[in-house]
Amino acid sequence: KCDWSSDVCSSDLAMTTRTTNGAAIGTSEIATNLEMLSYFAFDSSTAEYVQFNIQMPKSWNEGTILAEFVWTHPATTTNFGVNWNLQAYAFSDGDNISAAFGTAQNVDDTGGNTSYCYISANTPAITIGGTPAESDWVIFQAYRDPAAAGDSMAVDAYLLGVRIIYTTDAAN
């Protein structure tokens, strides 16, 4: 979902789990007010992945982006750290879709209470792989790195969405 007027895109279950080491798709109903959550469950011992794509607007400056992760977790009593990662590749007309993603950037975030909404800080600047151009189609890959020093949570982390922040160089 993109709000081109505010230069922000977010992706929730427009995501697709990878066939190889993909995160499990799940839903949960919150007991008190019956909110339904759709999420991807990322394992605490194996890196798992989801992907999503966005056709970037003409106004994107083809530069680096930032990302924030919206997530929650099931019951656990200690060790609430999660390490989220994002990488991407930009495709122009006629490009080979089998291309290596750009370098992933990551952010550690800390949960705590079961079924609370957590929104990470921004990642460092992410350089999108390829040669980004105006209106490119960009594939993003998000994953949890349970081997990272900042990832200590012993249960699945439930990814609810990813917010993409980018800079524009034109009004429309």
Side-chain angles (χ1 to χ4, degrees):
K1 296 173 194 146
C2 295
D3 175 1
W4 300 133
S5 64
S6 66
D7 308 325
V8 172
C9 289
S10 66
S11 182
D12 46 24
L13 286 187
M15 296 180 197
T16 301
T17 187
R18 271 191 7 189
T19 300
T20 304
N21 286 10
I25 298 171
T27 60
S28 178
E29 183 175 69
I30 306 300
T32 304
N33 293 306
L34 309 179
E35 295 90 353
M36 286 301 299
L37 296 181
S38 297
Y39 58 82
F40 288 93
F42 288 80
D43 195 69
S44 62
S45 60
T46 302
E48 294 177 324
Y49 303 81
V50 296
Q51 296 178 0
F52 59 96
N53 60 74
I54 298 171
Q55 181 91 29
M56 297 300 282
K58 277 186 359 180
S59 60
W60 172 44
N61 75 348
E62 298 88 42
T64 59
I65 61 165
L66 305 173
E68 296 173 351
F69 297 85
V70 181
W71 65 285
T72 190
H73 63 79
T76 187
T77 55
T78 59
N79 303 329
F80 300 108
V82 177
N83 179 266
W84 293 111
N85 294 261
L86 190 72
Q87 57 193 149
Y89 195 94
F91 297 91
S92 296
D93 182 37
D95 284 352
N96 183 349
I97 294 177
S98 182
F101 286 99
T103 302
Q105 291 293 343
N106 68 78
V107 61
D108 291 334
D109 201 24
T110 304
N113 293 313
T114 302
S115 299
Y116 275 50
C117 178
Y118 297 101
I119 301 172
S120 74
N122 292 342
T123 61
I126 298 168
T127 300
I128 295 175
T131 307
E134 202 173 80
S135 301
D136 266 0
W137 180 61
V138 179
I139 297 178
F140 296 87
Q141 178 165 260
Y143 62 98
R144 176 185 179 184
D145 183 0
D151 195 301
S152 59
M153 193 164 62
V155 297
D156 286 352
Y158 296 164
L159 184 63
L160 304 173
V162 178
R163 179 178 173 189
I164 304 296
I165 304 161
Y166 60 92
T167 302
T168 60
D169 60 5
N172 56 32

